[in-house]
Each structure stands twice: as C-alpha cells, then as structure tokens.
Amino acid sequence: MIQTLELSVRTQRRNELVDITAAVQEAVQKSGVREGFVILYVPHTTAAVTVNENADPSVRVDIEETLSRLVPAGPHYHHLEGNADSHVKATLVGPSETLLIRNGSVVLGTWQGIFFCEFDGPRHRRVYLQIHGE
Amino acid sequence: MIQTLELSVRTQRRNELVDITAAVQEAVQKSGVREGFVILYVPHTTAAVTVNENADPSVRVDIEETLSRLVPAGPHYHHLEGNADSHVKATLVGPSETLLIRNGSVVLGTWQGIFFCEFDGPRHRRVYLQIHGE
Amino acid sequence: MIQTLELSVRTQRRNELVDITAAVQEAVQKSGVREGFVILYVPHTTAAVTVNENADPSVRVDIEETLSRLVPAGPHYHHLEGNADSHVKATLVGPSETLLIRNGSVVLGTWQGIFFCEFDGPRHRRVYLQIHGE
C-alpha cells in the first residue's frame, strides 16, 4: 500500500528551519500504516529537509547561521539570480529523508524533530510524503 | 516487484556534476512502474549523487567551486593518495538519493535535475538504480 | 516482509567515525532477505551515518578533521550546551542512508564501508536497521 500526500509550508525568512514534525506525524497516523517507512521529498532547488533537535530553538539558529557562514550570499557566484548560495546549501543538506514508521508513528529519537530548510524565502513551499507499509 | 539496473557515467574533469536526469527517467519509464520509488546508489567513495537546478548550467559550477573552496585539494591531509578532499566531499553530498515515482515518471520539481557528482575524475563510474512499485 | 533491528555502538572520542559494516552485513545476512534494501537510521541529533572508504583508516581521520575545521567547537553559538557544532555536523552528514541488498548482502563498492559518525562522544549510541525484501 502506497500513499502519497503533500504538505504546504509557508516560510517567513530567507533562511529558516521550519519544524514540520507534527504535520508529518499526523499524516502518518491518518494513513493507518503501523509498520513501514515514509519518504519525505522536497521538490525545490533552494530548500531541503533535515532531522535535528527541536527542544532548544537555538539549535536551528546555529544551523542556519553556520550554513550561511560556510556558504555566504554574495556576488562571487556564476549563477546570476542572487541565490547561488541557496542552491549550494540545498545540496549540502539534501532534498529527502527516509524515516521509519513503527506502531503507527514516525520513529524519532528523544530530541529529534523534522525540519523543512528554507534557503531562499520567504516562499510557499511543498514537501511530498510517500508512505509505505501495512 | 524490484528491478535493479546500472547506469554508466563517463566523467571528463576532476570535479564535475553530470546531469543524469534523462537516463534515470528512461530507466524508470522502461521499468513499467507507475507508482513507487527509485533508490539511486553510487558505489564509489569519491563521488556522490544530488538533486539541484538543471536549467542554468552555472548552478552546477557554483556547487563544484563552493565545495572545492570549503574542502580544497592539498597536501594537508593524512590520506596520501591525493584525493582526501574527494572523500570528504562524497560524505558531505552523500552516496544515495531516494526519489518518488508517480504516473510512470520520477517526480521532480520544475527546476530539478539529478546529478552524478564526480570529485576525483575523470573516470568511468556507475550508479545503481533499484526501482520499486507497481 | 519488514524486519527492524537495533545496533549498539560504543564510541570512544568526541568525533569518531566507527566502521559498522560487518554488523550491518551480519544483520542483513541473518534476515534471510536476498533482494531488497535496508534503511539505516540514527535516532540522535549529534551523530550521523555515512558511507566512505574503509581500506585506509586515514580517510576517516581526514573526514573528522575537515568537518571540525568547517564547523569548529567554540563559544560562538546560541545553543549553550557546548555541542552546537555537533548538531550542525549531524545535519551536514545526515541521519540516514538507504542501501541496496542483492544476493543476500548489502551492495557496497570495492572500497566502501558504512560508518557511524559520532560528533559528541564518547557515548552509547544506537542505529536502527529496517530491512525490506524477499
């Protein structure tokens, strides 16, 4: 049984990690799948998805700021749309994650949350979820 | 139904993102799978696979150059084969991607293409595709 | 058929790539799955999993040191637990990998091994394996 869904994410800043854990858990719980996996896929070239701590909000600020220190915006790129840095960050973090489902929920460690990573916002964005299992 | 295929990639430069979108789409379309997913896997330790913009070719140059700025080649590594930088880049980008299949094609955003990432070319390389679905 | 297992990993240093190839291969071989895939998932926010060379141990040292050069530990972060760098590294490398199974074994290139990436050790850690196939 394969179920495919789409989440909408509204980002507010150019660089922003948005916690989508609750929306992903709700989609998985509604699917009725008890044991399986879910593929998260971001169909954008200046955004990504990751898993990291969602207890202390400062962790996501450190991730945003460190990525911007490593890959700063600026005029020193070949791509002339002003978002070359956003594209590079998207490849460093990656467009997808595959997460496990057990007992009807996504398996996450105690401190883990799922984050949509905006690198060229604010924008309306989408995340696809493909849920597999029984 | 599981189908496993192998793509060959001939790279031309030491660092090079090669667009393999058409080859992956063709393999998925030939598989007959309408709904499912495909795992792309790179069996090399100095190469990787990513998804990013394939409309403006300068995006891939920015990715190549930024990775080389962050992880430059040079004599300051422990691994003495001259490609320690290539190994580090492979881990930063990652050896696999899982992509969704819907209506018989790989799901990609408007601007997305699939890129084999060469970090120690030129070489003959391979990408494995494992296609799942019905 | 879905089988889920858990590996234990005891790390010895703050930053350390631990070769878990043999443990993953053993789990897959015991599962009886001949053709399929295995999802590796790290339920921690300061650790990750990657695939890279396991022939020359200096490659993993170069990966550890380069990541620490790019994302150094220090007081210049917002997260005040002293491991903000560890969280950023976890997102750069990523919490999961999906590997192919053929002929009853994980498919790996000649030089590839599977590494648990510790970024805030030493600790007791876990890796989940979900094995799919027939």
Side-chain angles (χ1 to χ4, degrees):
Chain A
M1 188 177 61
I2 301 180
Q3 296 176 59
T4 306
L5 296 96
E6 189 175 318
L7 294 185
S8 288
V9 182
R10 183 74 181 88
T11 61
Q12 308 290 338
R13 292 179 283 116
R14 187 166 192 274
N15 292 287
E16 181 183 9
L17 269 67
V18 180
D19 190 339
I20 59 171
T21 314
V24 174
Q25 284 289 20
E26 189 187 349
V28 167
Q29 284 156 12
K30 278 187 182 166
S31 76
V33 169
R34 302 286 304 164
E35 180 99 3
F37 62 99
V38 52
I39 304 168
L40 276 62
Y41 186 78
V42 171
H44 307 288
T45 56
T46 54
V49 62
T50 194
V51 173
N52 216 303
E53 177 173 329
N54 66 356
D56 176 1
S58 69
V59 169
R60 73 192 76 165
V61 179
D62 286 324
I63 294 171
E64 293 161 15
E65 290 186 0
T66 304
L67 286 170
S68 294
R69 178 177 59 73
L70 292 172
V71 189
H76 55 295
Y77 295 102
H78 299 278
H79 184 56
L80 297 177
E81 296 178 16
N83 62 357
D85 60 312
S86 320
H87 287 288
V88 179
K89 288 172 177 178
T91 275
L92 284 175
V93 178
S96 83
E97 290 293 347
T98 302
L99 306 176
L100 309 186
I101 300 171
R102 297 205 81 180
N103 303 317
S105 296
V106 175
V107 175
L108 291 170
T110 313
W111 307 104
Q112 285 185 320
I114 308 162
F115 292 93
F116 179 86
C117 303
E118 174 63 84
F119 298 127
D120 191 28
R123 297 206 200 195
H124 284 288
R125 298 290 205 172
R126 286 169 297 156
V127 182
Y128 299 135
L129 274 66
Q130 197 184 61
I131 302 172
H132 296 258
E134 43 198 50
Chain B
M1 188 178 60
I2 302 180
Q3 296 175 59
T4 306
L5 296 94
E6 189 175 318
L7 295 183
S8 288
V9 183
R10 183 73 181 87
T11 61
Q12 308 291 339
R13 292 180 283 117
R14 187 167 193 273
N15 291 286
E16 180 184 8
L17 269 66
V18 179
D19 190 339
I20 58 171
T21 314
V24 175
Q25 284 289 19
E26 188 186 350
V28 167
Q29 283 155 15
K30 278 188 182 165
S31 77
V33 168
R34 302 284 306 163
E35 180 99 4
F37 62 100
V38 52
I39 304 168
L40 275 64
Y41 186 78
V42 171
H44 307 290
T45 56
T46 54
V49 62
T50 193
V51 174
N52 215 302
E53 177 173 328
N54 66 356
D56 177 2
S58 67
V59 169
R60 75 192 74 164
V61 179
D62 285 326
I63 294 171
E64 292 162 16
E65 289 186 1
T66 304
L67 286 170
S68 294
R69 178 178 59 73
L70 291 172
V71 189
H76 55 294
Y77 294 102
H78 300 277
H79 184 56
L80 297 178
E81 297 178 16
N83 62 358
D85 59 312
S86 320
H87 287 288
V88 178
K89 289 173 176 178
T91 274
L92 285 175
V93 177
S96 83
E97 290 293 347
T98 303
L99 305 175
L100 309 186
I101 300 170
R102 296 205 80 182
N103 303 316
S105 296
V106 175
V107 175
L108 291 170
T110 313
W111 307 106
Q112 285 184 321
I114 308 162
F115 293 93
F116 179 85
C117 303
E118 173 64 82
F119 297 128
D120 192 28
R123 296 205 201 194
H124 284 286
R125 298 290 206 172
R126 288 169 296 156
V127 182
Y128 299 135
L129 273 66
Q130 197 184 61
I131 302 173
H132 295 258
E134 43 198 51
Chain C
M1 188 176 61
I2 301 179
Q3 296 177 59
T4 306
L5 297 93
E6 190 175 318
L7 295 183
S8 289
V9 182
R10 185 72 181 89
T11 61
Q12 308 290 341
R13 292 180 282 117
R14 188 165 193 272
N15 291 286
E16 180 183 8
L17 269 66
V18 180
D19 190 339
I20 59 171
T21 313
V24 174
Q25 285 289 20
E26 188 186 352
V28 167
Q29 283 155 14
K30 278 189 182 164
S31 76
V33 169
R34 302 286 304 165
E35 180 99 4
F37 61 100
V38 52
I39 305 169
L40 275 63
Y41 186 78
V42 171
H44 307 289
T45 57
T46 54
V49 62
T50 194
V51 173
N52 216 303
E53 176 172 330
N54 66 356
D56 176 2
S58 68
V59 169
R60 75 192 75 164
V61 179
D62 285 324
I63 294 172
E64 292 162 16
E65 289 186 0
T66 304
L67 287 170
S68 294
R69 178 178 58 73
L70 292 172
V71 189
H76 56 295
Y77 294 102
H78 300 277
H79 184 56
L80 299 177
E81 295 178 19
N83 61 358
D85 60 312
S86 320
H87 287 288
V88 178
K89 289 172 176 178
T91 274
L92 285 175
V93 178
S96 82
E97 290 294 345
T98 302
L99 305 176
L100 309 186
I101 300 170
R102 298 205 80 182
N103 302 318
S105 294
V106 175
V107 175
L108 291 170
T110 313
W111 307 106
Q112 286 184 322
I114 307 163
F115 292 94
F116 179 85
C117 302
E118 174 63 83
F119 297 127
D120 191 29
R123 296 204 201 196
H124 284 287
R125 300 291 208 170
R126 287 169 297 156
V127 182
Y128 299 137
L129 273 66
Q130 198 184 59
I131 302 172
H132 296 258
E134 44 197 50

